[in-house]
Amino acid sequence: MSAPPLAQLAGWDVPQLRGCVGTLALVADRLTPWRVRLDALGRRLDSAECWSGEAGTAAAGALLELSGVATGVGSRVDAALGALRRLVDAATDAAEHAARALAVADSAGLQLDDAGRVTGLPPQPHPAMAPDQAAELAARRTAAEAAAALATGLAAEARAAGARALVAAVSAGEELGDLAPAAGPVTFADLLPRLDPAGRHVVPPDPRAGPVAVADWWAALSAPQQLDVIVEHPDAVGALDGLPGWARDRANRLRLQAALAELPPGEARETATAVAGQLAAGGDRPVQLLLFDPGQGLAALSVGDLDAAEAIAVLVPGILTTVADDLAGLTGDAADVVAAATAAAPGLAVAAVAWLGYRTPGLLGALQPVTAVHAGRVLDRALDGLAAARGVPGVTPAARTTVVGHSYGSLVTGQAARAPGRLAADAVVLLGSPGTGAGRASRLEAGEVYGAWTAADPISTSGYYGPSPADLGFGDVPLPTDPGQGHTEYYDPDRPTLAAIGAVVAGVGPVR
């Protein structure tokens, strides 16, 4: 593709072009947050939370179509922006080189044509000339030739940059061209085929991509695509750290339905039955199923809406805790923590996760840290996932996150802190800890570390896995306890520790 004439290149209004591209980039940056809020409204309409009946259903459908259009437009604009930024860079080079080429030629009394060819060079000296005249003319000729060489080189660079700019402009036009409105009214249905010719089918990413990549993938999907991938791939979606709580909940409830319909009697079915029981027992309070793996006996339930919570607690239990036998108790502890945090900060939106994301060891298994090392990596990724899901533009800002590790769960928490990357938690609470395996509190990577122990709890004073809150030099802020408080009574509503945990989760204390 040939470049425009040299004088035209020199006259390009690059600042205006740069400003236009910057404005389009601002529009693209604002489009995703707007669509995320739109999708949230569409989900509320779809579940009849704020408007039911035929009109509500129609409105929800219209919002889904609008989300699809917004996603398609955003994708096209993002692709065009890449080409437009190349256009700005090339146009800048073209204008600068062309202006310099013309200036160099003009200062030497030369002319440059549209193709960058030089005319007007002084003649060569004639043998009949006087020596001084010949020397002067030769010097002028040499200077002019040097200027001509420089101007020609600059002109060639300008024309090459101009050609690159035109290629980039064509590429941007190809991305945006079919977004131009047709004659007459255009409906969402008219736009969708132009924006998404390949259809809505998407495939979930590999979990090894990491929570941030998963969150970015999810944010790039339209609401219809999100709903479709939940239905088509519930096993994958339900297990992906980095997705919002509502999405994992929908996917895992589909998995739960299938499990209850298909699983034979045994541990896996008992796990599914226990989970179903806790979901049914939730009543009016929101309960989200974040993790469901009956084959491994794993589950995680959130008491409260993770996507709207301003404060989140993640409860990590210790040994001999199973979904089938203990999920009800752990979910009850989570509900008590929510109540305590809400009492400490009335009006605060709080959620607490009963996290059984690892298969807890028995008595013999607890003598070794092998399980905790693996579980720590899983917990670390789960916390990263909570942070990544709330780091997407347009969603509620990141919540204050507190990890509450009880007994062997405090060792799991310590191992999570030792996993690669920083622990995605603002505070850590250690209850009845036999040690964290991380040494001092400062090595737990949280800005705040609290601990509770009693002389009546031999686990908390054992130091089996190294220093713990029972050691004076550990560096934690002590939480209140009763003298006779046992190992399983830290969440007891009649003990002072629960109210203190709630204050920590809410971010209102206690402080040293």
Side-chain angles (χ1 to χ4, degrees):
M1 184 175 293
S2 60
L6 204 61
Q8 183 177 335
L9 291 176
W12 275 358
D13 191 346
V14 176
Q16 183 178 20
L17 176 62
R18 185 179 291 109
C20 292
V21 174
T23 300
L24 183 61
L26 287 176
V27 172
D29 289 342
R30 293 172 181 173
L31 186 60
T32 296
W34 174 80
R35 182 183 58 78
V36 169
R37 294 193 294 272
L38 184 76
D39 294 348
L41 176 60
R43 291 194 299 274
R44 293 185 64 194
L45 288 174
D46 186 52
S47 60
E49 290 183 16
C50 59
W51 189 7
S52 60
E54 291 186 9
T57 301
L63 288 178
L64 288 179
E65 290 187 2
L66 180 56
S67 175
V69 170
T71 302
V73 169
S75 176
R76 291 297 185 86
V77 170
D78 285 342
L81 277 171
L84 289 172
R85 291 188 177 104
R86 295 194 299 274
L87 167 60
V88 169
D89 291 342
T92 300
D93 290 342
E96 290 179 353
H97 292 323
R100 285 186 60 198
L102 291 171
V104 168
D106 183 66
S107 67
L110 305 174
Q111 293 80 44
L112 281 174
D113 64 15
D114 289 341
R117 293 184 293 265
V118 174
T119 58
L121 282 170
Q124 295 283 2
H126 192 275
M129 288 182 174
D132 57 339
Q133 292 179 324
E136 180 182 352
L137 186 58
R140 287 176 54 201
R141 175 78 183 198
T142 299
E145 288 176 344
L150 177 58
T152 301
L154 289 170
E157 292 181 14
R159 288 174 55 78
R164 293 198 305 273
L166 292 181
V167 169
V170 170
S171 178
E174 290 174 348
E175 293 293 345
L176 298 175
D178 58 359
L179 297 185
V186 178
T187 67
F188 297 154
D190 294 328
L191 282 174
L192 278 173
R194 289 195 257 167
L195 294 167
D196 191 16
R200 297 177 181 171
H201 181 72
V202 291
V203 178
D206 189 320
R208 291 173 295 184
V212 172
V214 168
D216 289 343
W217 164 78
W218 184 258
L221 301 180
S222 66
Q225 287 175 318
Q226 291 174 350
L227 297 176
D228 286 347
V229 76
I230 287 173
V231 173
E232 293 172 6
H233 304 280
D235 290 356
V237 172
L240 278 177
D241 291 309
L243 297 190
W246 74 264
R248 296 187 69 170
D249 179 57
R250 286 199 183 192
N252 284 319
R253 285 178 187 257
L254 291 175
R255 300 181 67 201
L256 176 61
Q257 291 175 5
L260 292 173
E262 300 169 1
L263 287 176
E267 181 184 357
R269 185 170 186 84
E270 291 173 0
T271 295
T273 301
V275 169
Q278 288 309 297
L279 292 176
D284 294 334
R285 68 186 183 191
V287 179
Q288 293 174 323
L289 182 54
L290 307 176
L291 174 65
F292 177 63
D293 187 346
Q296 296 296 319
L298 307 178
L301 273 75
S302 170
V303 178
D305 184 354
L306 275 183
D307 304 320
E310 300 165 276
I312 296 173
V314 180
L315 278 57
V316 185
I319 67 170
L320 299 172
T321 307
T322 67
V323 173
D325 295 333
D326 304 295
L327 183 62
L330 189 60
T331 305
D333 292 338
D336 289 339
V337 169
V338 170
T342 304
L348 185 72
V350 184
V353 179
W355 190 78
L356 265 168
Y358 79 111
R359 199 171 179 89
T360 65
L363 291 173
L364 292 178
L367 300 178
Q368 298 294 330
V370 176
T371 298
V373 172
H374 168 73
R377 290 194 291 265
V378 177
L379 174 61
D380 181 62
R381 188 172 64 246
L383 294 170
D384 287 343
L386 293 178
R390 296 288 287 268
V392 174
V395 305
T396 305
R400 172 181 169 84
T401 301
T402 302
V403 182
V404 186
H406 175 249
S407 191
Y408 192 85
S410 69
L411 177 62
V412 173
T413 303
Q415 295 302 313
R418 298 181 67 178
R422 191 161 187 85
L423 189 72
D426 301 283
V428 167
V429 175
L430 307 173
L431 307 175
S433 174
T436 66
R440 291 177 52 83
S442 59
R443 298 186 64 185
L444 292 175
E445 299 184 334
E448 306 166 29
V449 178
Y450 303 86
W453 66 279
T454 73
D457 175 10
I459 302 297
S460 69
T461 58
S462 68
Y464 190 84
Y465 283 111
S468 75
D471 297 297
L472 289 177
F474 183 67
D476 64 305
V477 177
L479 300 183
T481 59
D482 284 338
Q485 191 168 323
H487 189 64
T488 62
E489 297 177 316
Y490 294 100
Y491 293 118
D492 191 333
D494 296 326
R495 306 288 188 174
T497 313
L498 177 62
I501 295 171
V504 171
V505 171
V508 296
V511 295
R512 192 188 297 277

